[in-house]
Amino acid sequence: MSITAHCLIRNEERFIYFAVMSIIHHVDKVMIWDTGSTDDTQKICWGLRKLFPATIVFKEVGEADGFRHTELRYEMIKETKTDWVMILDCDEIW
């Protein structure tokens, strides 16, 4: 069985590294989609992508209101090729 972690983020520079590192060795793919961060979140995500290029997919998708947030979740599901999906919030350390 394979699993993808979905992570929609915005301005999560304090936690994104720790959240991703807590699951990176337990999943097959991590999809991190940024919704308009203005802090160092994107820089950290590109660094994580560089460390784990086969596992992490990082995408900048622009700002998202509640409706767009739901659309993005659906788009993530459509792009997922694994058997299982987990939602990873940036304040979660597993």
Side-chain angles (χ1 to χ4, degrees), residues 11-22:
N11 294 334
E12 298 288 352
E13 69 181 3
R14 292 183 62 205
F15 297 107
I16 186 64
Y17 175 85
F18 301 105
V20 170
M21 291 305 292
S22 74

Side-chain angles (χ1 to χ4, degrees), residues 28-56:
D28 300 284
K29 190 70 66 181
V30 181
M31 296 172 68
I32 306 171
W33 289 12
D34 184 80
T35 61
S37 290
T38 57
D39 61 4
D40 283 336
T41 298
Q42 292 179 5
K43 180 179 165 185
I44 294 165
C45 289
W46 285 117
L48 286 166
R49 170 84 171 87
K50 205 172 197 179
L51 288 173
F52 303 99
T55 306
I56 294 178

Side-chain angles (χ1 to χ4, degrees), residues 65-83:
D65 59 11
F67 180 75
R68 179 73 177 130
H69 193 272
T70 302
E71 284 181 333
L72 290 170
R73 286 276 185 218
Y74 181 68
E75 288 176 32
M76 290 176 108
I77 290 169
K78 288 193 319 188
E79 289 188 25
T80 299
K81 306 296 182 217
T82 56
D83 301 308

